[in-house]
Amino acid sequence: MYGAGDVRVENAPDPVIQQPTDAIVRIVRSCICGSDLHPYHSLPASEQGTPMGHEFLGVIEDLGSQVSGLRRGDLVVAPFAYSDNTCVFCREGLHTSCLNGGFWAAGGVGGGQAEAIRVPQARGTLVKLPVGEDSELLPSLLTLADVYGTGYHAAKQAEVNPRTTVAVIGDGAVGLMAVLSARRLGAERIILMGRHDDRTKLGIDFGATDVVPERGAEGVERVRELTGGQGVHAVLEAVGYREAYETAFGVVRPGGVISRVGVPQYEDAPIGFASLFGPNITLTGGPAPARAYIEELLPDVLEGRVEPGRVFDRTIGLEQVPDGYRAMNDRTALKVLIQP
Amino acid sequence: MYGAGDVRVENAPDPVIQQPTDAIVRIVRSCICGSDLHPYHSLPASEQGTPMGHEFLGVIEDLGSQVSGLRRGDLVVAPFAYSDNTCVFCREGLHTSCLNGGFWAAGGVGGGQAEAIRVPQARGTLVKLPVGEDSELLPSLLTLADVYGTGYHAAKQAEVNPRTTVAVIGDGAVGLMAVLSARRLGAERIILMGRHDDRTKLGIDFGATDVVPERGAEGVERVRELTGGQGVHAVLEAVGYREAYETAFGVVRPGGVISRVGVPQYEDAPIGFASLFGPNITLTGGPAPARAYIEELLPDVLEGRVEPGRVFDRTIGLEQVPDGYRAMNDRTALKVLIQP
């Protein structure tokens, strides 16, 4: 990406092992993330551009000398941050704060919207998948890289349980995964705030019990009506705009939780007596430690009990990636799968 | 209080029962709160003034016809918000959001810096104390009205436990009660950020293991040094100024919790990627449901295992209340006890 709206497909040198803890992965499936749309809207133009993509699964082609537990030919999935899986933060399940970790497409590491990628901290980062390259489960398995883990993080941080009334803000892929996750954690009332029919229908399949298409003050009023005037115990905010945050504290119940996983496109926002403090609202969330959740979420995907891969509604090759961004930006595609 | 800095002692009509759920309490001990200093700094001048005080214990003088479980002559303590103790929020322990509750010195209810007060929702609000009016425990019992429960709320909301490293911001009475509470919940490392020697010494008696007198960036650096560069799991913020909040996210560890009980004197503040979101910080807290904690904290006070009443370092009569405000504002008194 060379600037807002400027996505190009280019030949790049093949990645090679640089550290003994690296692996090289040939990418089998990748995708475009809702969060990729933020730079697509606002990235300053540059001469050198930046690689893109942070969700991929693929086959190990090469391994550094210190990587144990993995072999060439293994099909693996990578979370959207690499991590050693052994440091003090990883041991606490906060892999996104790994002392030796980092994010794709930054600091000399490539992006996942590519044919191949160098994976730092391969042993800690990559999780072997017990299926073949031709498995029909690949789209669902790919959601473990980010969107499913991110939706699940929202629900876990909000401590969703069978007694929790939930509102999910946003009907993008992460919002829909938040619905699926809240249902998995036992929530029996899940209000999905979104206005794209095809998406909210999928949300209902995933467990949403109510859909509120209204936004702003009207949306807040609808959710309050649906909850006897009191609001919901947990709001899972999967958008990232300040308006979504304001909706969140509009619909949350006193003593409730706002759990954010949409990357905030703002820094300052209301947190004083009139918003969070007076009614004892808890604000939580952040970049999901997707790595922490892969083993937990994997069995349901492998056994077909959940189908998070249904969020992909278009499949393209690498050459069509610029079209994929346009389609997601125009909301003509929910989430675009890339088959390099 | 007739405006900033303008506290007067006046004769007022004796309170009388207005609702069958009311009680009239003759006040035996009351006090001035650190949060009373906020209006003392900024209350707009008015002709009619406002009653003050929200912490008291006293003797029941009269009871409405629907108040059961209490008798005339009972010595009782009241939390800083009245509540029915039966509504959906009270049952969840969030008495400050009681559907039939409210705050003292507002809406036709008087303040606790007085000889007597009308108590709405008396049955839910008042807790009988098994001691006499002459008990030496009265100062410690009075802290159950607010400061002890408030410090405890900070620690509970932060889920302080034996594995938690804690920083307490502020060496006022609530900060010191947060230290005591964190210790009670098992924390073994408690860093008290405060610069008044007499107060931090009391903090050490209450369980603080380190004192950091530096403020701002220097204070943040000191706490980071004391925690191997990583910061603390839990920050208990007992001040309420935006600078204190900024110190809080400066010293908190990735994945940690900022628990605020100092009444925020700001509305907007940083909560985006660079402050809370990126490192997955949780922000929690609010007005403490002091009522919820009285039964839990009472036995330790009655049996002398804790002495929260040590935060009172001056005792005055009602006539000296204006002096009491001055002394707390000048920091020549930590917390002023009123014996009407």
Side-chain angles (χ1 to χ4, degrees):
Chain A
M1 188 180 287
Y2 283 83
D6 185 4
V7 178
R8 307 179 200 168
V9 183
E10 291 181 347
N11 278 310
D14 287 342
V16 293
I17 298 286
Q18 295 181 14
Q19 302 288 332
T21 46
D22 286 351
I24 302 300
V25 169
R26 171 174 56 83
I27 293 173
V28 173
R29 292 291 186 283
S30 172
C31 54
I32 302 173
C33 185
S35 70
D36 292 333
L37 296 181
H38 293 314
Y40 190 72
H41 294 149
S42 62
L43 187 73
S46 74
E47 298 263 320
Q48 74 284 4
T50 177
M52 294 296 297
H54 52 262
E55 302 155 285
F56 61 90
L57 54 76
V59 173
I60 294 177
E61 298 271 300
D62 199 4
L63 281 169
S65 59
Q66 288 178 17
V67 185
S68 58
L70 293 168
R71 288 162 183 268
R72 287 190 181 80
D74 282 349
L75 185 72
V76 291
V77 64
F80 72 82
Y82 58 85
S83 56
D84 63 17
N85 203 25
T86 57
C87 81
V88 59
F89 291 106
C90 285
R91 287 198 306 271
E92 293 178 10
L94 193 64
H95 295 70
T96 44
S97 294
C98 174
L99 295 173
N100 296 302
F103 294 89
W104 308 109
V109 178
Q113 291 160 11
E115 291 177 322
I117 190 166
R118 178 173 71 89
V119 177
Q121 301 295 339
R123 184 185 181 176
T125 303
L126 299 173
V127 178
K128 191 178 172 187
L129 299 172
V131 298
E133 272 188 65
D134 56 350
S135 168
E136 289 181 357
L137 293 174
L138 295 194
S140 285
L141 292 167
L142 180 59
T143 65
L144 297 172
D146 184 345
V147 287
Y148 190 13
T150 294
Y152 194 61
H153 186 56
K156 286 283 273 191
Q157 288 296 100
E159 297 178 16
V160 169
N161 63 58
R163 295 175 306 286
T164 316
T165 302
V166 176
V168 173
I169 302 180
D171 58 9
V174 170
L176 298 178
M177 292 295 96
V179 169
L180 185 72
S181 299
R183 186 70 201 91
R184 185 179 190 280
L185 293 169
E188 289 173 2
R189 185 79 185 274
I190 302 170
I191 302 168
L192 175 57
M193 300 187 77
R195 52 178 186 168
H196 303 89
D197 267 359
D198 47 338
R199 301 178 177 196
T200 56
K201 273 179 194 152
L202 187 52
I204 290 169
D205 284 358
F206 284 156
T209 52
D210 304 83
V211 171
V212 170
E214 294 88 350
R215 304 177 107 179
E218 212 181 338
V220 168
E221 199 180 330
R222 280 286 295 137
V223 173
R224 296 226 157 242
E225 277 167 23
L226 288 170
T227 53
Q230 294 177 350
V232 297
H233 296 97
V235 183
L236 314 184
E237 197 282 87
V239 175
Y241 291 116
R242 187 171 147 147
E243 293 72 22
Y245 172 70
E246 285 166 3
T247 298
F249 71 72
V251 302
V252 71
R253 189 173 185 280
V257 183
I258 298 170
S259 184
R260 294 181 300 169
V261 288
V263 180
Q265 301 302 302
Y266 54 89
E267 190 59 44
D268 281 21
I271 62 168
F273 203 96
S275 47
L276 302 189
F277 189 87
N280 267 282
I281 307 304
T282 295
L283 176 64
T284 189
R291 179 66 187 81
Y293 301 127
I294 293 179
E295 283 91 347
E296 182 180 352
L297 299 176
L298 188 56
D300 275 1
V301 175
L302 289 173
E303 289 155 31
R305 280 194 293 271
V306 293
E307 290 182 278
R310 292 177 65 195
V311 294
F312 294 108
D313 56 352
R314 185 172 305 186
T315 302
I316 60 174
L318 268 183
E319 292 302 320
Q320 291 85 50
V321 165
D323 296 330
Y325 274 83
R326 265 190 295 276
M328 281 182 62
N329 190 48
D330 297 344
R331 302 286 188 271
T332 56
L334 168 52
K335 191 167 175 72
V336 171
L337 187 70
I338 302 168
Q339 192 165 345
Chain B
M1 189 180 287
Y2 283 82
D6 184 4
V7 178
R8 308 180 201 168
V9 183
E10 291 182 347
N11 278 313
D14 287 342
V16 293
I17 298 286
Q18 294 181 15
Q19 302 289 331
T21 46
D22 286 349
I24 303 298
V25 169
R26 171 174 57 82
I27 292 173
V28 174
R29 293 289 185 284
S30 173
C31 54
I32 302 174
C33 185
S35 70
D36 291 334
L37 296 181
H38 293 313
Y40 191 73
H41 294 149
S42 62
L43 188 73
S46 74
E47 299 265 318
Q48 76 283 3
T50 177
M52 294 296 297
H54 51 264
E55 301 155 284
F56 61 90
L57 54 76
V59 172
I60 295 177
E61 299 271 301
D62 200 3
L63 281 169
S65 60
Q66 287 177 19
V67 185
S68 58
L70 294 168
R71 288 162 182 269
R72 286 189 183 80
D74 283 349
L75 185 72
V76 290
V77 64
F80 72 83
Y82 58 85
S83 57
D84 63 16
N85 203 24
T86 58
C87 82
V88 58
F89 291 107
C90 287
R91 287 199 305 272
E92 295 178 8
L94 193 64
H95 295 70
T96 43
S97 294
C98 174
L99 295 173
N100 296 305
F103 294 89
W104 308 109
V109 178
Q113 292 158 11
E115 291 177 322
I117 190 167
R118 178 174 71 89
V119 177
Q121 302 294 340
R123 184 186 181 177
T125 303
L126 299 173
V127 178
K128 190 177 174 187
L129 298 172
V131 299
E133 274 189 64
D134 55 350
S135 167
E136 289 182 356
L137 293 174
L138 294 194
S140 283
L141 292 166
L142 180 59
T143 65
L144 297 172
D146 184 346
V147 286
Y148 190 13
T150 294
Y152 195 61
H153 186 56
K156 286 284 271 193
Q157 288 297 100
E159 296 177 16
V160 169
N161 63 58
R163 294 174 306 286
T164 316
T165 301
V166 176
V168 173
I169 301 180
D171 58 8
V174 171
L176 298 178
M177 292 294 97
V179 168
L180 184 72
S181 300
R183 186 73 201 90
R184 185 180 190 278
L185 293 170
E188 292 174 0
R189 186 78 186 273
I190 302 170
I191 301 166
L192 175 57
M193 300 186 77
R195 51 179 187 168
H196 303 90
D197 266 0
D198 49 338
R199 300 178 179 196
T200 56
K201 271 179 195 152
L202 187 52
I204 289 169
D205 285 357
F206 283 156
T209 52
D210 305 83
V211 171
V212 170
E214 294 88 349
R215 303 178 108 180
E218 210 180 340
V220 168
E221 199 179 333
R222 279 288 294 138
V223 174
R224 295 225 158 242
E225 277 168 21
L226 289 169
T227 53
Q230 293 178 350
V232 298
H233 296 97
V235 183
L236 314 184
E237 198 283 87
V239 175
Y241 291 118
R242 189 173 145 145
E243 292 72 22
Y245 171 69
E246 285 167 4
T247 297
F249 71 71
V251 302
V252 71
R253 190 173 184 281
V257 183
I258 298 170
S259 185
R260 293 182 299 169
V261 289
V263 181
Q265 300 303 301
Y266 54 89
E267 191 57 45
D268 282 20
I271 61 168
F273 203 96
S275 48
L276 301 189
F277 189 87
N280 267 282
I281 307 304
T282 294
L283 176 66
T284 189
R291 179 65 186 82
Y293 302 128
I294 293 179
E295 283 89 348
E296 182 180 351
L297 299 177
L298 187 56
D300 276 359
V301 174
L302 289 174
E303 290 156 30
R305 280 192 294 270
V306 293
E307 290 182 278
R310 292 178 65 195
V311 295
F312 293 108
D313 56 353
R314 186 171 306 185
T315 302
I316 60 175
L318 268 184
E319 292 302 321
Q320 290 84 50
V321 166
D323 296 329
Y325 274 83
R326 265 189 293 277
M328 281 183 61
N329 190 47
D330 299 343
R331 303 284 187 274
T332 55
L334 168 53
K335 190 167 175 73
V336 171
L337 187 71
I338 302 168
Q339 192 163 347

